[in-house]
Amino acid sequence: DAPLSPHTDPKMGREKVLSSASMIASSSIARTDATFGARRSETYARDASAESMKLRLAVKIRDEYGAVKAYAKQENGGAGSARASARSTAAGAAREDEMGEDPRERARAIGDAEKKRKKPSDVAAMIDAIDEDSEDEEAGPVPFGAKAKTSNALATFKGEDAVANLPLSIFGKHANAATGANIARKLASQWPVPEWRAPWKLYRVISGHQGWVRSVAVDPSNEWFVTGSADRTIKVWDLASGSLKLTLTGHIEQVTGLCVSPRHPYMFSCGLDKKVKCWDLEYNKVIRNYHGHLSGVYSIAMHPTLDILMTGGRDSACRVWDMRTKKQVFCLSGHENTVGSILTQDENPQLITGSYDGTVRLWDLAKGKTVETLTYHKKGVRAMVMHKKEFAFVSASADNIKKFSCHGDFMHNMLTQQKAIVNTLAMNDDDVLVSGGDNGSLYFWDYKSGHCFQKQKALVQPGSLEAECGIYASSFDITGSRLITCEADKTIKMWKEDATATPESHPILPFEPPKNIRQGIGAC
């Protein structure tokens, strides 16, 4: 069509525009009819049955008003409400008389309102029916022979009894139930506060080895202790005086593990020469060799009641030996790297191993199979120690020192990171935990709270390099009053508590309880 000129009749122009619009609309309708006309006869009726409506309404009432349904209902037919209605009707009539309205119209309107008030709507009747069903459910069991009404509600609201059904809190039954949120208090306030402990001080340095001192073990009679060194010798020292009593030779490589039997006059040693030896301390000679390891042996432990020996090494296996027959009972495989530490106890699990692959395995010693594998550490586990009273143990790696129950449950981390490769752990009966690192750091911990109350840095022997300050092994004596550390500067250092210290003169390091806790009392 040609555009409208200024001299064109406006009425004619509007007719042309309307005709073109109707043509466009009719063509659009034709296309729509061609596309969807075949399905025009299909109808989708909504399920409008009473049961369906009742179910939808019951769900909506439960979701939106479930928290207040248990409140007392207001009676609409009481005397008070009747008096209020009469007052409002009289006041309305007075206002209408003042405005000059017809009394007959007013009476008709009042009558219609009364009819509406007396006859509830369909939705209101349905809500009343739902309320009656819920009241019947709360009334209790149905008598014998009576027909129980079924409720369409997906879940019943327990009303005021909901407080009694709140889940138990770790701080007691219904903690903070009055708030309706049942929010547990911050765990930091429940964390045990460490008690004051006397600081430990160095009182003796023993020299005698010609290489790194790699291992230590204390005699059960608490009279002497033995150390193994990179100079391939085992030396026996007097615990009271620190003097050398005996030197044993037999290994052709570093001696990495020692164990003294409390039931026999035997001592067991292992080294990087793949050998495990049994020494008779009455004759100071090797009487048995246990052959089987394919590489260096790093750890050794003895069962507290059975005559079996456990060793672990660089072949990623923990081997169980019969002491008397020298036969291998089990070769416990499963670790993917060096087995660096071994723990044994009477109760199951009787064997716990820590490996450089970062895992700790709990073993069933009767079946020779893994019960549970703990993968909480991110770095290699080089040291573990068993608590003497609790059914728990502590494992250490470069990332953190962690406490576990012997069932395999993670308890918590120590509250400070040592920031070193932890080579050794030791614990006494007073719950003092000691960890030694490859950088010479010696940390003293309160076992219960995980707080580090003292930090020491080993000083190297004159003539040694500054880098030779690493601590490889440590052990308390039987009384727990003396600590022995074996270091890379070829010395053995002995520590004891400072008897003159007081809480005022030697306060412990500041204690700050943890804030972010993942498990029962700890974070991974």
Side-chain angles (χ1 to χ4, degrees):
D1 295 336
L4 297 177
S5 64
H7 304 287
T8 306
D9 186 6
K11 185 176 181 181
M12 187 181 299
R14 283 196 300 272
E15 291 176 355
K16 288 184 178 182
V17 171
L18 291 175
S19 63
S20 63
S22 62
M23 289 175 62
I24 293 172
S26 60
S27 62
S28 176
I29 292 171
R31 286 195 301 270
T32 304
D33 186 67
T35 305
F36 304 105
R39 303 180 64 183
R40 184 180 301 168
S41 61
E42 300 180 11
T43 58
Y44 300 94
R46 184 179 178 184
D47 186 7
S49 63
E51 291 298 324
S52 177
M53 290 288 292
K54 189 174 179 181
L55 178 60
R56 286 200 296 271
L57 196 58
V59 173
K60 184 174 182 180
I61 291 173
R62 185 205 63 190
D63 291 342
E64 297 186 5
Y65 307 108
V68 296
K69 270 190 65 180
Y71 290 169
K73 298 179 181 178
Q74 295 181 356
E75 297 294 338
N76 293 324
S81 61
R83 285 194 296 270
S85 176
R87 283 196 300 270
S88 62
T89 304
R95 286 195 301 270
E96 290 173 358
D97 288 340
E98 292 175 0
M99 297 175 63
E101 293 185 3
D102 188 2
R104 288 174 296 180
E105 293 293 333
R106 186 177 69 247
R108 190 182 298 111
I110 293 174
D112 294 341
E114 288 292 328
K115 291 180 181 179
K116 290 182 180 179
R117 187 175 65 82
K118 291 180 180 179
K119 182 180 181 181
S121 63
D122 295 339
V123 176
M126 198 174 297
I127 292 175
D128 293 339
I130 293 171
D131 290 340
E132 290 174 2
D133 291 345
S134 61
E135 289 173 1
D136 292 341
E137 291 177 3
E138 295 173 0
V142 180
F144 178 76
K147 186 177 180 181
K149 293 184 179 180
T150 58
S151 172
N152 292 322
L154 300 181
T156 57
F157 181 71
K158 297 180 176 59
E160 298 300 328
D161 295 333
V163 175
N165 297 319
L166 288 174
L168 292 180
S169 169
I170 60 176
F171 300 110
K173 190 174 182 181
H174 307 156
N176 292 339
T179 63
N182 194 32
I183 302 172
R185 290 171 287 176
K186 286 186 178 181
L187 201 55
S189 61
Q190 300 293 316
W191 198 272
V193 178
E195 61 183 20
W196 178 84
R197 296 181 183 275
W200 290 69
K201 64 178 183 178
L202 177 67
Y203 75 96
R204 179 179 294 152
V205 178
I206 303 173
S207 300
H209 280 293
Q210 303 301 314
W212 298 347
V213 188
R214 296 291 305 268
S215 55
V216 62
V218 180
D219 167 41
S221 64
N222 210 37
E223 295 179 358
W224 49 266
F225 67 96
V226 290
T227 55
S229 171
D231 62 6
R232 303 167 294 179
T233 64
I234 300 172
K235 292 183 181 291
V236 183
W237 310 87
D238 185 74
L239 190 58
S241 62
S243 59
L244 179 64
K245 300 182 69 173
L246 186 66
T247 299
L248 302 175
T249 59
H251 283 280
I252 58 174
E253 256 293 354
Q254 299 185 29
V255 181
T256 54
L258 290 169
C259 179
V260 181
S261 173
R263 303 189 307 273
H264 316 94
Y266 296 155
M267 179 182 69
F268 300 91
S269 64
C270 63
L272 299 185
D273 52 5
K274 301 184 280 189
K275 294 181 179 180
V276 180
K277 295 180 179 291
C278 175
W279 302 78
D280 189 332
L281 298 179
E282 292 180 347
Y283 297 96
N284 301 329
K285 292 181 180 180
V286 176
I287 58 173
R288 295 186 187 96
N289 285 285
Y290 303 88
H291 298 286
H293 276 285
L294 305 177
S295 189
V297 188
Y298 279 68
S299 53
I300 188 169
M302 183 180 169
H303 195 279
T305 55
L306 303 177
D307 289 341
I308 56 176
L309 185 70
M310 280 75 76
T311 56
R314 208 157 47 198
D315 54 5
S316 306
C318 177
R319 300 177 188 269
V320 182
W321 310 90
D322 188 320
M323 280 185 199
R324 294 167 294 179
T325 64
K326 301 182 290 184
K327 290 185 179 180
Q328 179 178 293
V329 181
F330 287 119
C331 178
L332 305 177
S333 60
H335 285 294
E336 298 177 358
N337 208 329
T338 302
V339 178
S341 55
I342 299 174
L343 296 178
T344 61
Q345 61 178 358
D346 290 335
E347 302 294 332
N348 289 322
Q350 299 183 51
L351 177 61
I352 303 172
T353 58
S355 172
Y356 290 7
D357 61 7
T359 64
V360 177
R361 286 180 177 262
L362 281 59
W363 300 86
D364 186 335
L365 198 56
K367 298 179 180 179
K369 294 182 179 179
T370 302
V371 177
E372 192 166 355
T373 302
L374 309 179
T375 58
Y376 292 87
H377 284 287
K378 301 178 180 65
K379 302 292 183 181
V381 180
R382 293 172 177 257
M384 296 191 301
V385 66
M386 187 80 70
H387 196 278
K388 296 182 180 179
K389 298 177 183 177
E390 289 186 13
F391 196 59
F393 68 96
V394 179
S395 61
S397 71
D399 58 352
N400 219 322
I401 301 175
K402 300 178 183 292
K403 188 193 299 185
F404 298 92
S405 74
C406 290
H407 297 295
D409 300 323
F410 171 71
M411 298 173 70
H412 65 86
N413 287 335
M414 295 295 141
L415 303 186
T416 308
Q417 286 187 333
Q418 193 161 346
K419 297 180 181 178
I421 298 175
V422 180
N423 291 321
T424 177
L425 287 175
M427 190 187 307
N428 65 4
D429 292 337
D430 294 331
D431 286 349
V432 175
L433 177 68
V434 176
S435 61
D438 67 334
N439 60 353
S441 59
L442 191 66
Y443 281 27
F444 293 84
W445 310 83
D446 178 72
Y447 169 82
K448 187 176 181 181
S449 65
H451 173 60
C452 177
F453 66 88
Q454 183 184 359
K455 298 179 182 179
Q456 289 283 353
K457 182 65 180 293
L459 299 177
V460 297
Q461 188 182 29
S464 300
L465 298 175
E466 188 65 30
E468 292 181 328
C469 60
I471 300 174
Y472 284 114
S474 64
S475 178
F476 283 98
D477 69 346
I478 304 303
T479 63
S481 60
R482 289 172 287 190
L483 173 67
I484 305 166
T485 59
C486 304
E487 306 192 6
D489 61 354
K490 309 173 187 177
T491 64
I492 303 159
K493 294 185 173 65
M494 300 188 70
W495 309 73
K496 65 178 180 181
E497 287 185 332
D498 188 355
T500 62
T502 62
E504 292 76 19
S505 62
H506 294 81
I508 62 174
L509 295 176
F511 168 68
E512 183 177 352
K515 297 178 181 177
N516 299 321
I517 308 299
R518 282 186 54 186
Q519 204 256 352
I521 51 170
C524 173

